[in-house]
Structures are given as structure tokens and as C-alpha cells.
Amino acid sequence: MDNHYAIRVLNLTKYYGDVLAVDHINFEVHSGEIFGFLGPNAAGKTTTVRMVTTLLEPTEGTVLINGYDVSRQPYQAKRQFGLVPEESNVYTELSTWTNLMFTAKLYRVPRGERERRVRELLELFGLQEKEVEKVFSLSKGMRQRLSIAMALIHRPPILFLDEPTLGLDVQSAQLIKERLRQLNAEGTTIFLTTHQIEMADQLCDRVAIIHRGRIVAINTPERLKWAFESRRSVEVSLDGCEPEEWEGLGALPSVTAAVKARDKMRLYTADPAALIVEVVGYAQARGLQVTSLNTLGPSLEDVFLDITGQKIGPGQQKVSRSQCRNCPVRDQCSTEESERPRRRSGLLRSPCDSH
């Protein structure tokens, strides 16, 4: 058994008929890390996670969970992880206590340990006062806490979560994030699938981005940001600025893209120093007062949008092939691998416009 990797995915592939949904992907999740799995809708995220967690049979490839092959050793593999789906899997007609006890029996937790583990998890997730209540009476946030507690009842070394804080109130979302950090500090490996890029940036040691069925980038959030340093920006607020003047600001020579947000405009640029001079000169020439001016590095959201070929704002430039060859995430880039058939019928995938 390889103790270094909690999860290894090797040449994983899934066809639905002639359509290639997941395209020969490879990645590893290190033991003890929080690993984020990001991608736009229909990118292959759900299909990949379903294959990794034994819910869907792959067309090709291998998945190892703590060294156990999910196809050949499914029982041993399933004992290694807990799974929290996006849609809550709790039994609403049962009480909080009964849900946990029932799950403990399913996972064959020894009879003498069940009650103690249930009480520990009720306390961990702040559900002690709700233990006798039927789940249908609980808020969405409390149901999600219960769902995570149920996935942890057998003390798995790996926890899979799909959008664990989506649609939750601030208090529940914050508690769940704190508990995930705590679990990880105690040694649990966490595989987090999410659209909430800010959450991935806050929690994850590394993130993988899947696009059109391929892993197109995988690295730490900070290294991914560094790879897209050209997506730096200047955020400016001008007092008394009219709509046409905001438009003119976005048309300055050093601006590659502009996004207006309430009383500020974020101007993307490869040269922040030059752009600051242009912004100040523009404001002075029109008698406008600069109320705030900040330089910002690329966010993980900027990286995600660039990699998946989505626009940040008007005028965004796509990454060229020459840029791609010099990029620190090139080993995970799909640009130069576009020759592999997208469909079994022989139709080729269109080349990816960016990383």
C-alpha cells in the first residue's frame, strides 16, 4: 500500500455512448491534504467523483484509494472514505440521533462504540440540542452538518464533499469550514468539489481544474496565481465619475480587460505601474477625484476563468500557444493534446483556447 497517496487516479476515462465525458485523466491526492476539484458545469467533475467513489464504473483506467483498487477491491476501498453528496442523504423522518446510529450500524461500528461516537459528532457539529428532533424540522445548514457527521461515523481517513456549503447561512458555512480545517489538522484527507472558488482558495493545499473532461491545471492556489501574474489589476474608485467616463477608463492603453463593480472599476493589466500613471492622468484631465486606488494580484477566480477560456471582462485576451509552452502549469495543459478523438466516431475535439 502506498502511504504517500490517499488517492491515485490513472488514465481514468468515461464514455457515455460515443460522447467522451472524462478523457484519460491522471492525478494524485497526497495523504493529509485538502484537495480542491474545480471546473465549470459539464466539465466532468461529477462523473469523475462518482467513478472515484465507486458509484460509477469507468470505461478505462484505475482508481486507488489508500492503495485499494476500487474496481477489484470495492469493499476495502469504501471503508477508506466518507462521502457527503451535494443533495443531503439524511432520513428526514428519523431523528438526528437515529440517523447517526443507523449509519453507525451500516458501517459496522462496534456496538460498544456507537453511542460514544454519535455523542462526539453531535458535539463537534453543534447538534446536541437537536438530537431528538426529526430531521425534517432542521434548517438546511443543520442537515448538512448532520450529513457530514454521518460520513465521519466510521472514522474514515478520507472525506469526499460535494459543495458542502452551497446555499447555507453564514453561521453554518463558517462552522463547516472550521470543522473541515480541524479534521484535516487531525490527519483526515479531504477531497472538496466546489464551484465556490473563494472557499477553495481559503481551504485547499492544492487544486485541480477540470475542463472539457481533462485536467488542465493542478497546483497550489498560490502557484497557479503566480503562473497568471499577467492578470494583475488596478482597482480604482473615482468621485463623480459619469458612465461615459467609466467607459473611457476601461479603454486606457495599458488595460486588457475592465470590470465595473458598484462604485469601483477593476482594470486588468500586465503593467500596473504604467496603468496607475494613466489612471491618475485620466482623472486629473477630467477634474475627477481618486477616492481609492489599489493594485491587486490575480485571484484564483481569475485563474479559473482564464484556464477555462471564460471572459473576465470586455477585451480579455486568450492565452496563445507560445505563452502556453512557457507556462509553469504546462505539464497539465490540454492545448497541445487536442488530437485525441473527442468522440468515438472520429470527430476531433476543438483545441482548448487556454490552459
Side-chain angles (χ1 to χ4, degrees), residues 81-85 89 100 103 107 121 145-156 158-161:
F81 65 83
L83 174 63
V84 182
N89 60 348
L100 285 165
T103 307
Y107 278 107
L121 289 166
R145 295 186 220 174
L146 175 57
S147 185
I148 298 173
M150 291 165 63
L152 293 168
I153 195 69
H154 60 302
R155 293 180 177 167
I158 303 168
L159 181 63
F160 288 89
L161 303 108

Side-chain angles (χ1 to χ4, degrees), residues 151-271:
L152 293 168
I153 195 69
H154 60 302
R155 293 180 177 167
I158 303 168
L159 181 63
F160 288 89
L161 303 108
D162 188 0
E163 300 289 0
T165 62
L166 186 65
L168 300 189
D169 60 275
V170 174
Q171 182 181 9
S172 290
Q174 187 61 35
L175 185 143
I176 287 172
K177 286 189 282 188
E178 289 174 358
R179 293 301 175 263
L180 293 181
R181 290 190 182 100
Q182 180 180 340
L183 289 165
N184 181 247
E186 293 170 355
T188 303
T189 301
I190 295 174
F191 188 105
L192 175 66
T193 304
T194 183
H195 284 93
Q196 296 174 287
I197 298 174
E198 182 180 357
M199 180 181 180
D201 197 5
Q202 292 172 350
L203 290 180
C204 296
D205 298 300
R206 291 189 305 140
V207 297
I209 298 176
I210 186 170
H211 183 48
R212 299 177 182 174
R214 296 179 180 175
I215 301 294
V216 292
I218 181 167
N219 217 317
T220 67
E222 291 306 314
R223 285 186 177 273
L224 285 174
K225 294 175 196 176
W226 176 81
F228 285 80
E229 191 64 20
S230 63
R231 299 303 302 163
R232 290 176 293 177
S233 61
V234 172
E235 187 179 68
V236 60
S237 178
L238 300 175
D239 188 34
C241 196
E242 298 295 330
E244 62 273 13
E245 291 171 322
W246 283 118
E247 291 181 12
L249 194 64
L252 291 173
S254 296
V255 174
T256 57
V259 177
K260 180 73 166 57
R262 296 181 295 278
D263 64 334
K264 297 181 178 64
M265 179 169 276
R266 189 170 181 183
L267 306 170
Y268 290 87
T269 181
D271 190 349

